[in-house]
Amino acid sequence: MLVGVVVAGEKRAAGIARVLIGEDAIQIRVRELARELDLIYADEPPLLIGVLNGAVAFMTDLMRAMTVPLEIDFMAVSSYGASTKTSGVVRILKDLNAEIGDRRLLIVEDIVDSGLTLQYLLELLRQRGPRDIRVVALLKKEKPGAAEVQVDAVGFPIPDEFVVGYGLDYAGLYRNLPYVAILDPSAILPE
Ligand code: 5GP
């Protein structure tokens, strides 16, 4: 059973080694990003495309911090499953409901790691003839050898470590944490 521990006044979920980005810092940065995006989309409502499941926390906070009229839709792509390493294989599990021809798209991603997922999504969506596509990612790993992929705005660059929380999971857990954290190695299942 997962139980919490209190460290230095902060309640931390079991299995968490350390908090990398706290709740307050995330909320401040999300509001900054929303202000930048409001300016970009002042003239025409964007369609925000949240990439499930990981982007759900970021998407819901970001869209509520934005003040321009906007629409939302979601795509689901395959994730790591119960692994902490990318397979490089991207599979569409749920496609968009909306028609995107001539629309202004804002892809909302949780994290860009190898960049392969985003590269695949961008190619797929570009073929459908949108007016333009921008990408906002909450986290981007600083990783040598990662794919050169379009990311227009990043919440936080992070070191090349496996993180959980604020939408990001490990084996389905930890998505509900309000902060981004590094997993304790003891919580990682043998592969
Ligand atoms: P990429 O294709 O850029 O390697 O990885 C993209 C997807 O892998 C992300 O949208 C996310 O779902 C998952 N991912 C990448 N790095 C991490 C990480 O550090 N933690 C978690 N929980 N998921 C990650």
Side-chain angles (χ1 to χ4, degrees):
M1 192 181 73
L2 287 172
V3 290
V5 289
V6 176
V7 180
E10 180 178 6
K11 188 156 189 307
R12 225 204 262 162
I16 296 302
R18 93 189 144 85
V19 175
L20 189 64
I21 309 167
E23 183 174 1
D24 290 351
I26 293 175
Q27 293 304 325
I28 289 168
R29 186 72 185 117
V30 167
R31 285 196 291 274
E32 283 173 1
L33 290 168
R35 278 198 296 276
E36 289 170 24
L37 292 164
D38 273 344
L39 294 177
I40 291 168
Y41 295 112
D43 296 330
E44 201 173 359
L47 176 67
L48 272 56
I49 299 178
V51 186
L52 295 171
N53 293 330
V56 73
F58 181 39
M59 174 84 163
T60 53
D61 281 346
L62 183 71
M63 73 182 197
R64 287 178 296 170
M66 289 175 72
T67 59
V68 290
L70 57 82
E71 291 177 51
I72 64 167
D73 203 345
F74 291 94
M75 285 188 87
V77 296
S78 55
S79 75
Y80 294 1
S83 166
T84 61
K85 297 191 182 64
T86 185
S87 64
V89 178
V90 181
R91 218 156 40 93
I92 298 293
L93 306 175
K94 181 213 171 292
D95 207 335
L96 295 173
N97 296 329
E99 294 294 327
I100 60 169
D102 216 25
R103 298 291 313 264
R104 302 196 72 186
L105 308 184
L106 177 64
I107 299 180
V108 180
E109 259 284 23
D110 50 0
I111 184 166
V112 179
D113 180 0
S114 68
L116 292 174
T117 307
L118 189 55
Q119 205 168 46
Y120 176 86
L121 274 180
L122 281 165
E123 274 165 30
L124 184 84
L125 296 178
R126 276 189 195 119
Q127 287 167 13
R128 301 182 187 176
R131 167 105 34 107
D132 60 25
I133 310 184
R134 302 186 103 78
V135 179
V136 59
L138 181 75
L139 307 171
K140 186 167 188 298
K141 286 191 189 169
E142 293 184 319
K143 192 164 186 162
E148 278 292 320
V149 66
Q150 176 194 346
V151 186
D152 301 283
V154 173
F156 302 90
I158 61 164
D160 186 12
E161 289 193 71
F162 189 79
V163 291
V164 293
Y166 198 65
L168 289 160
D169 77 313
Y170 171 62
L173 296 173
Y174 305 106
R175 291 194 199 275
N176 56 324
L177 301 180
Y179 49 77
V180 172
I182 310 272
L183 264 190
D184 189 311
S186 66
I188 297 175
L189 303 166
E191 287 180 28

